[in-house]
Amino acid sequence: FCLWPNTMYGNKVVWRNPENVLKEIEHFVRVEGYRSVYFDDDTQNACGWTRMKQLCDGMKDIGVPWLMLGRLDINTEDEFQYMIDHGCSGMRLGVESVSQKQLDRMKKGTKVDDIKKKIEFLKKRTNLYLLFMHGFPGETQEERDEVVAYANGLGVAYQNPMCCPFPGTPLYDTIASLVPEIRDVSPIEFDGNNLSSRLKEIIETYNRRIIGG
């Protein structure tokens, strides 16, 4: 979800004025009868705390529950609590992995202990839906099993799809350097919800080559 600026918009992001966003939401609530709002921005809380706080304050005034899609590592526990206190009733948050080696390969800049601590904090306070992924280059079966075991033990909803190396990303170029057949894969086969069998095999082939399997 976090890669749209890289792959589609030339590394540019434009955040809309929160006052205009809130005016639109208020219209749909007061006039159209909407009873909740889901912020499906990629990624909602990447806008910075100043803008996020403005949205929180406005949503509390509007008075309907809201949900958001974001990253787990961007906000502090106090900031997440502020969102919850201002009407946020659910969060879909990107975690990716609880293997430190995998997080380092992804260059996420996050620590497993911090991730787990924040998840424990949030799952007691709001509805969580966590976003993991498997198949990132270099992942071992042991690391994959570690993530699944952790996620299954949390008692919250989650998804764990295969990592998709979208064209235009460094990951795509890295895989193409060893498995050039990926350049023959058609755009429709990169559907993150339904990767083609050919693309899956290319990813697995790359993994086997770099880990010596």
Side-chain angles (χ1 to χ4, degrees), residues 15-34:
W15 297 101
R16 293 187 58 210
N17 185 314
E19 292 182 1
N20 292 338
V21 173
L22 291 166
K23 284 180 181 178
E24 289 182 8
I25 292 173
E26 186 166 23
H27 167 82
F28 283 110
V29 170
R30 309 294 184 221
V31 179
E32 306 293 342
Y34 282 34

Side-chain angles (χ1 to χ4, degrees), residues 4-211:
W4 295 123
N6 302 67
T7 58
M8 298 176 68
Y9 305 124
N11 293 312
K12 294 180 181 179
V13 175
V14 177
W15 297 101
R16 293 187 58 210
N17 185 314
E19 292 182 1
N20 292 338
V21 173
L22 291 166
K23 284 180 181 178
E24 289 182 8
I25 292 173
E26 186 166 23
H27 167 82
F28 283 110
V29 170
R30 309 294 184 221
V31 179
E32 306 293 342
Y34 282 34
R35 294 181 294 179
S36 64
V37 174
Y38 174 45
F39 289 96
D40 196 24
D41 296 30
D42 301 313
T43 303
Q44 170 70 3
N45 57 342
C47 63
W49 180 239
T50 298
R51 182 178 185 274
M52 196 68 215
K53 185 175 182 296
Q54 286 180 281
L55 290 172
C56 289
D57 294 340
M59 289 305 300
K60 186 172 184 178
D61 291 339
I62 293 171
V64 296
W66 54 279
L67 303 90
M68 54 88 77
L69 169 66
R71 282 181 58 146
L72 180 69
D73 60 319
I74 288 178
N75 294 106
T76 65
E77 291 181 0
D78 286 344
E79 289 169 349
F80 276 126
Q81 185 64 57
Y82 193 90
M83 297 180 204
I84 294 167
D85 292 342
H86 287 69
C88 184
S89 60
M91 300 179 183
R92 290 170 57 95
L93 298 173
V95 178
E96 299 5 306
S97 180
V98 288
S99 162
Q100 191 61 55
K101 289 181 179 179
Q102 276 295 84
L103 293 171
D104 293 344
R105 292 182 191 114
M106 297 174 192
K107 301 179 182 179
K108 286 283 290 185
T110 53
K111 299 296 182 184
V112 170
D113 288 346
D114 295 337
I115 288 172
K116 291 182 176 181
K117 180 175 179 289
K118 203 167 286 184
I119 288 173
E120 288 300 316
F121 174 84
L122 288 171
K123 78 174 190 176
K124 298 174 184 176
R125 293 166 171 80
T126 191
N127 296 302
L128 277 186
Y129 187 101
L130 300 178
L131 309 169
F132 298 93
M133 66 179 180
H134 71 274
F136 193 86
E139 180 186 58
T140 64
Q141 188 61 51
E142 181 182 3
E143 290 167 339
R144 186 175 301 187
D145 292 344
E146 178 184 7
V147 172
V148 172
Y150 172 75
N152 285 338
L154 280 174
V156 303
Y158 75 92
Q159 68 182 44
N160 186 27
M162 192 171 199
C163 175
C164 183
F166 289 108
T169 63
L171 178 56
Y172 176 90
D173 293 334
T174 298
I175 292 177
S177 68
L178 277 185
V179 192
E181 293 86 350
I182 196 173
R183 301 193 185 278
D184 298 325
V185 178
S186 65
I188 196 171
E189 295 180 74
F190 287 89
D191 181 349
N193 293 316
N194 187 28
L195 299 187
S196 73
S197 57
R198 178 168 62 157
L199 182 56
K200 289 180 180 179
E201 178 56 31
I202 287 172
I203 296 171
E204 294 291 358
T205 297
Y206 178 84
N207 279 339
R208 286 193 296 269
R209 290 180 181 178
I210 65 173
I211 64 177

